[in-house]
Amino acid sequence: AKKWINIRKSYGNFYKVPRNQTKLTIMLENLGMNYDGRPHSGLDDSKNIARIAIRMLQDGCDLRVNERIHGGQLMTVSSSVPLEGAPAPQMPRYRT
């Protein structure tokens, strides 16, 4: 994987919150969700990050690749860079 979405960056930019408000438990809390599972379990953390991503899509966020590795260096990808590949799936615009 040489390109990915850093959900913390996307969350902070979309909801206009400072970096110290982008810890997993704080993001969940601010979205009215509880942490499901055991803290620091890779699988449980991944499931909770997916729940955040789904909520962001429902709220109208356009999740895009925002980090990549180039020449062994971590690089930020500008949000103005066109998307590559297929568009992200459209999520229903309703809240549960």
Side-chain angles (χ1 to χ4, degrees):
K2 293 187 179 190
K3 295 184 262 182
W4 61 90
I5 297 170
N6 180 329
I7 204 74
R8 292 179 69 187
K9 282 185 179 180
S10 296
Y11 178 94
N13 291 333
F14 183 69
Y15 294 113
K16 307 288 190 249
V17 297
R19 179 102 170 128
N20 66 354
Q21 293 292 307
T22 61
K23 293 182 177 137
L24 182 56
T25 54
I26 293 172
M27 292 187 292
L28 287 164
E29 182 180 306
N30 289 342
L31 294 173
M33 299 178 191
N34 293 320
Y35 186 93
D36 288 344
R38 292 185 337 242
H40 308 296
S41 159
L43 180 58
D44 292 337
D45 283 352
S46 297
K47 288 178 181 179
N48 284 289
I49 290 167
R51 291 172 54 222
I52 292 168
I54 290 167
R55 173 62 181 276
M56 290 175 66
L57 290 167
Q58 289 172 339
D59 286 348
C61 182
D62 183 19
L63 291 173
R64 294 177 175 229
V65 169
N66 57 15
E67 287 187 348
R68 68 185 177 105
I69 293 287
H70 182 70
Q73 298 291 321
L74 174 64
M75 303 182 78
T76 296
V77 176
S78 168
S79 61
S80 62
V81 173
L83 291 173
E84 295 180 16
Q90 296 298 308
M91 301 298 291
R93 304 240 184 216
Y94 60 87
R95 290 190 177 168
T96 56

